[in-house]
Amino acid sequence: MMLLAPSSTSLSSSSSSCNAALIRKECRLFGASRLTISIRRQNDAVSCEAADSSSASSWTAPIVAETKEKDAGGGVGKSAAYRLRQGSLTEDGLSYKEKFIVRCYEVGTNKTATVETIANLLQEVACNHPQSLGFSTDGFGTTTTMRKLHLIWATARMHIEIYKYPAWSDVVEVESWFESKGEIGIRRDWILKDYATQEVLGRATRLAFPEEKNGSLKKIAKLEDAAQYSRQGLVPRRADLDMNQHVNNVAYIGWFLESMPQEIIDNHELETITLDYKRECQQHDVIDSHTSPEPVEDTKVSELNGSNGTAAAAAEGKEDYCQFLHLLRLSGDGLEINRGRTEWRKKPTRDANHSV
């Protein structure tokens, strides 16, 4: 299963029908409103998918469901995980915030968090948010009817922008909220901040971005011709599987980076990544990763207003900024699994406390 709710999410199921009315009613309990549904059959599976509409829906304040966990003594109360977790709903109940310490095993060679670490933090918040409402304790953010029909949320698109990478031992705060999107879909948004300074370090998906300079919906072209860089024969590890026995969405980021040219990895850092999920990947699949440079537009994508800005906007020339197209496909039959775009900026000079 892929838990990160993107600019558009969908439901997938092996059952023969979907109880749309009940699912819509239940989704409204935690803030999703104006849901409609369409059903599509592919092979032996039935999927309920969201239309790719870019219009924002109005907010509905979440109502806490009456589901509560029992404490160790058998009474109704909060679980130990809930009490120890550094997260809670905001005062208005419309978003959820959680704090994390960047651990030594979550950073790379320059002692800053990897993009996979950041994606995992986003995913953790996406899972903990509905649990904080007492709505879903299965880790999938599903409603009661969805569980009865064996339905789960599946990611359709993920977009992350990172303005500054947190370093080892930094405390970061992730805020997240969601709303209905098109048909039976939900879009989730995140903001990542330095907890000590409240500096915005990054954002994910649509509403967190200035609408006039929103790159999260930009179409990703498929690599039709032979890619300039390739890494073939990638095999999912057991650790890559999630609770639904599918490859976790964060693993796709790592596979993109496997085919990146080493000189880019050495001299640049990832600023923006967009992923379009086309097909689920399972344990015994073999994956080929393909990457090719994409011409940089004069008006650089991902440019944002505000004091935090992006390194791309501040770059002195195109030699300090580059972008690539990516394609993941199954070895042998060539079926597309994922396509993506990454944008890279020149690595900054770290201060003495964070230098290698």
Side-chain angles (χ1 to χ4, degrees):
M1 187 192 71
M2 295 170 285
L3 290 174
L4 294 178
S7 56
S8 176
T9 54
S10 62
L11 290 170
S12 60
S13 171
S14 57
S15 62
S16 59
S17 63
C18 302
N19 193 325
L22 278 177
I23 294 173
R24 285 197 297 269
K25 181 179 179 181
E26 291 170 348
C27 284
R28 290 191 183 99
L29 288 176
F30 56 101
S33 59
R34 296 197 297 178
L35 297 176
T36 56
I37 187 169
S38 65
I39 300 174
R40 184 181 71 176
R41 178 177 293 275
Q42 182 175 1
N43 299 328
D44 293 328
V46 173
S47 63
C48 309
E49 296 191 339
D52 188 19
S53 170
S54 60
S55 59
S57 302
S58 60
W59 272 101
T60 299
I63 302 172
V64 178
E66 294 180 357
T67 304
K68 293 184 179 178
E69 297 194 23
K70 293 185 178 180
D71 59 23
V76 176
K78 302 295 185 182
S79 67
Y82 184 90
R83 293 195 301 269
L84 294 173
R85 188 176 292 137
Q86 296 295 306
S88 62
L89 292 171
T90 55
E91 248 182 61
D92 58 13
L94 296 178
S95 64
Y96 173 85
K97 290 183 178 181
E98 188 165 351
K99 298 183 286 292
F100 302 91
I101 300 173
V102 179
R103 311 290 185 176
C104 64
Y105 52 82
E106 296 174 322
V107 302
T109 56
N110 59 351
K111 296 185 182 179
T112 59
T114 65
V115 64
E116 290 97 331
T117 292
I118 291 174
N120 277 320
L121 294 182
L122 301 181
Q123 179 169 251
E124 179 70 10
V125 169
C127 294
N128 293 341
H129 185 185
Q131 291 197 45
S132 72
L133 296 168
F135 189 77
S136 175
T137 58
D138 65 351
F140 296 119
T142 57
T143 70
T144 302
T145 301
M146 288 171 65
R147 291 191 288 276
K148 288 179 180 177
L149 296 173
H150 307 291
L151 293 165
I152 61 172
W153 295 105
T155 301
R157 169 171 277 219
M158 186 67 199
H159 178 84
I160 304 172
E161 294 193 1
I162 306 169
Y163 314 138
K164 180 182 178 182
Y165 283 84
W168 175 26
S169 78
D170 283 352
V171 179
V172 296
E173 181 181 70
V174 183
E175 182 176 3
S176 183
W177 62 93
F178 58 89
E179 63 178 83
S180 63
K181 170 77 174 176
E183 296 177 344
I184 192 154
I186 290 177
R187 187 188 69 232
R188 180 175 287 278
D189 299 289
W190 296 263
I191 292 181
L192 177 73
K193 293 182 179 180
D194 183 304
Y195 180 67
T197 66
Q198 288 298 293
E199 177 186 6
V200 176
L201 303 179
R203 294 177 169 94
T205 68
R206 207 175 70 82
L207 269 190
F209 299 90
E211 293 295 327
E212 70 276 7
K213 293 186 178 180
N214 174 20
S216 64
L217 300 178
K218 185 178 178 181
K219 185 177 179 180
I220 302 175
K222 183 179 179 181
L223 289 176
E224 300 288 355
D225 301 324
Q228 189 168 341
Y229 307 97
S230 295
R231 179 73 182 273
Q232 300 183 354
L234 299 172
V235 179
R237 304 171 304 162
R238 292 187 181 95
D240 293 329
L241 302 181
D242 59 26
M243 294 177 283
N244 197 42
Q245 299 299 309
H246 294 123
V247 172
N248 188 282
N249 69 89
V250 179
Y252 295 82
I253 297 176
W255 288 341
F256 277 178
L257 301 183
E258 282 295 313
S259 58
M260 281 293 298
Q262 188 61 44
E263 61 269 21
I264 299 297
I265 299 295
D266 290 341
N267 299 304
H268 293 72
E269 64 181 10
L270 182 64
E271 178 188 65
T272 300
I273 183 168
T274 308
L275 304 94
D276 278 347
Y277 296 92
K278 303 295 184 181
R279 181 175 280 98
E280 291 178 333
C281 183
Q282 302 185 12
Q283 181 178 0
H284 300 294
D285 291 332
V286 180
I287 311 302
D288 294 337
S289 174
H290 302 282
T291 293
S292 286
E294 183 181 33
V296 178
E297 299 175 3
D298 289 334
T299 55
K300 295 168 184 168
V301 294
S302 305
E303 184 180 23
L304 294 175
N305 293 324
S307 59
N308 292 297
T310 65
E316 294 180 358
K318 290 184 180 179
E319 66 276 4
D320 292 331
Y321 178 82
C322 51
Q323 58 192 45
F324 293 83
L325 293 175
H326 304 269
L327 175 66
L328 298 179
R329 62 187 181 193
L330 294 175
S331 296
D333 57 24
L335 290 175
E336 183 180 13
I337 296 175
N338 200 308
R339 70 176 67 175
R341 173 183 289 109
T342 57
E343 302 162 20
W344 302 74
R345 63 187 173 226
K346 199 76 171 178
K347 282 185 177 179
T349 302
R350 300 291 176 186
D351 59 36
N353 292 329
H354 292 161
S355 61
V356 179

